Amino acid sequence: MYAGDSARGQAQGNAHRGRLELLTWDPVCQRSVSIAERLGQPLHTVHYLAYRRPAIAPIKYVLQFVKTMLLLRALRPTMTVVSNPPPFAALTAWLHHKLHGGHFAIDAHTGVFLEPKWRAFAPLNRFLIRRAAATIVTNDGLREMISAWGGAPVVLPDRLPSLGTGGEYPFEPGTFNVAAIFSFYEDEPVDELLALRDLLPAMRLHVTGDSSRVSKKTRAALSPQIKLTGFLPRQAYDALVSRCDAVMVLCTRPHTMLCGAYEAAAAGKPLVTSNSAAMRGEFTQGTVFVENTVAGITRGLEEAYARHAALAQQMRDLAATMAVDWERRFAQCRAVLDGLAQLSPTMDAAGQPNQDCP
């Protein structure tokens, strides 16, 4: 599957006018989608076979490497912004520009630094970051890491998303509903979540994400106040977040900015989230910070219930501030990317740098 086919005609039509292209190998990368939308550029998503299936990764990465090289050769960008992970997407962009001129920039997500499966590729990431014209990160902790590696960091947090209004999600009357946004991935306190028992009587937790690996034994012991929704259609998911009473999103790793937290801000909902310096730096109000333990999560949910009205107002105020701050940071990021693209030579019909162009 090549998910970027729908944008190919527009992208090729813009190739001679534009100098910057955006690329990802992640088919569910909302951050890349958001940046592309704000830049007014198409996002080229190159992805084959199943998602998050390590056993077939070598096959899909070879296919995606070939497709990406052909795509970039056709588009002839002077600047490519590529999301990472996987680092092999950035490696492909580096190789293209090494052969044909121009620059590449990396939009580095926290997973590439912190997920165990990418730790073995730290030397490759350092190699790429040192050669990238810029590396975009979500917070100051990662900015310091990129600087220490010899890279050129630019901080751009996630943008507040737009939530749809046309969907429906069922709630029981008279209940306090929490959208617990999970992926059931290795960096989440899933066991602690599923072990919650002493919840307030009115509370209902709607746990999203791929819960297929939860055992039958665990399901049988699950509190009746916890519902595993599985992956929801986009409209139903947006309805859940928009109409719930609070949002909970948890993570066990530092430096991780959580997409679900930005969705809570966009919806103006109180947020219950893990206590980390990165999250505290961004979510300065409307938020209850918890330890990733059964007791800590339970206390956080109770506080969100008790202070619901005040926290909701604080989150609406914070969202307004975050939207203004994001536009300021985006303008700085765009100025950097545009400046680097203008320094790059345009490509001639053979995909080689055109030295006659300014």
Side-chain angles (χ1 to χ4, degrees):
M1 175 184 69
Y2 170 47
D5 281 339
S6 62
R8 182 184 296 173
Q10 177 187 353
Q12 291 179 339
N14 288 341
H16 296 286
R17 298 193 301 272
R19 304 169 66 90
L20 182 147
E21 299 290 349
L22 295 102
L23 172 71
T24 183
W25 284 10
D26 185 344
V28 294
C29 185
Q30 185 57 44
R31 176 176 169 84
S32 295
V33 171
S34 178
I35 292 174
E37 287 177 348
R38 188 60 184 81
L39 281 169
Q41 295 283 107
L43 173 64
H44 304 284
T45 303
V46 180
H47 187 261
Y48 288 93
L49 306 177
Y51 182 59
R52 282 186 173 174
R53 294 295 183 267
I56 62 172
I59 299 172
K60 66 191 290 184
Y61 288 157
V62 169
L63 295 173
Q64 289 166 199
F65 168 80
V66 173
K67 184 67 179 183
T68 300
M69 290 296 284
L70 292 172
L71 174 69
L72 293 177
R73 184 64 181 268
L75 294 172
R76 306 198 301 276
T78 55
M79 163 68 76
T80 301
V81 180
V82 57
S83 69
N84 184 7
F88 313 111
L91 179 64
T92 308
W94 168 78
L95 179 59
H96 167 82
H97 288 291
K98 180 74 172 177
L99 294 173
H100 302 294
H103 296 296
F104 79 106
I106 299 172
D107 180 27
H109 303 186
T110 54
V112 78
F113 305 105
L114 302 175
E115 289 184 16
K117 67 181 179 182
W118 298 124
R119 287 175 187 164
F121 299 97
L124 173 60
N125 280 308
R126 289 189 179 96
F127 172 90
L128 293 167
I129 284 168
R130 289 181 184 130
R131 286 156 180 81
T135 298
I136 306 168
V137 293
T138 58
N139 59 74
D140 287 333
L142 293 179
R143 176 186 58 78
E144 293 172 2
M145 185 182 300
I146 298 302
S147 294
W149 284 8
V154 178
V155 177
L156 182 66
D158 285 350
R159 186 186 186 191
L160 295 185
S162 298
L163 299 174
T165 58
E168 295 183 1
Y169 185 90
F171 295 121
E172 297 177 47
T175 55
F176 184 87
N177 293 280
V178 179
I181 302 174
F182 273 66
S183 63
F184 287 81
Y185 208 46
E186 59 195 15
D187 62 346
E188 297 170 329
V190 173
D191 292 342
E192 290 79 3
L193 170 75
L194 300 182
L196 294 176
R197 295 290 184 275
D198 298 324
L199 298 171
L200 296 172
M203 192 165 289
R204 302 291 183 272
L205 266 59
H206 306 263
V207 184
T208 68
D210 182 10
S211 57
S212 61
R213 285 174 284 185
V214 176
S215 68
K216 291 182 179 180
K217 181 179 179 180
T218 300
R219 287 177 184 270
L222 203 63
S223 166
Q225 295 171 258
I226 298 177
K227 177 182 179 181
L228 303 179
T229 71
F231 280 119
L232 293 170
R234 187 73 223 186
Q235 286 189 329
Y237 177 85
D238 286 353
L240 168 62
V241 175
S242 298
R243 300 172 189 174
C244 68
D245 298 294
V247 170
M248 181 169 70
V249 55
L250 304 173
C251 186
T252 59
R253 292 185 181 138
H255 305 308
T256 301
M257 305 306 295
L258 301 167
C259 293
Y262 290 93
E263 291 171 335
K269 303 298 180 180
L271 173 65
V272 178
T273 194
S274 301
N275 187 13
S276 73
M279 290 295 288
R280 280 190 175 277
E282 185 79 354
F283 292 88
T284 55
Q285 59 188 53
T287 305
V288 179
F289 293 98
V290 303
E291 300 303 320
N292 290 318
T293 64
V294 172
I297 296 168
T298 301
R299 284 194 295 269
L301 289 170
E302 290 174 352
E303 182 176 348
Y305 178 86
R307 300 177 54 216
H308 174 261
L311 290 170
Q313 183 58 57
Q314 289 176 12
M315 186 58 81
R316 289 191 291 269
D317 294 342
L318 178 62
T321 301
M322 291 173 71
V324 173
D325 183 64
W326 191 89
E327 289 294 338
R328 176 184 62 81
R329 289 175 177 263
F330 172 79
Q332 295 171 345
C333 180
R334 182 166 194 169
V336 170
L337 296 178
D338 287 346
L340 291 168
Q342 292 300 323
L343 289 174
S344 301
T346 57
M347 303 294 127
D348 63 21
Q352 299 299 321
N354 184 347
Q355 301 300 331
D356 296 331
C357 292

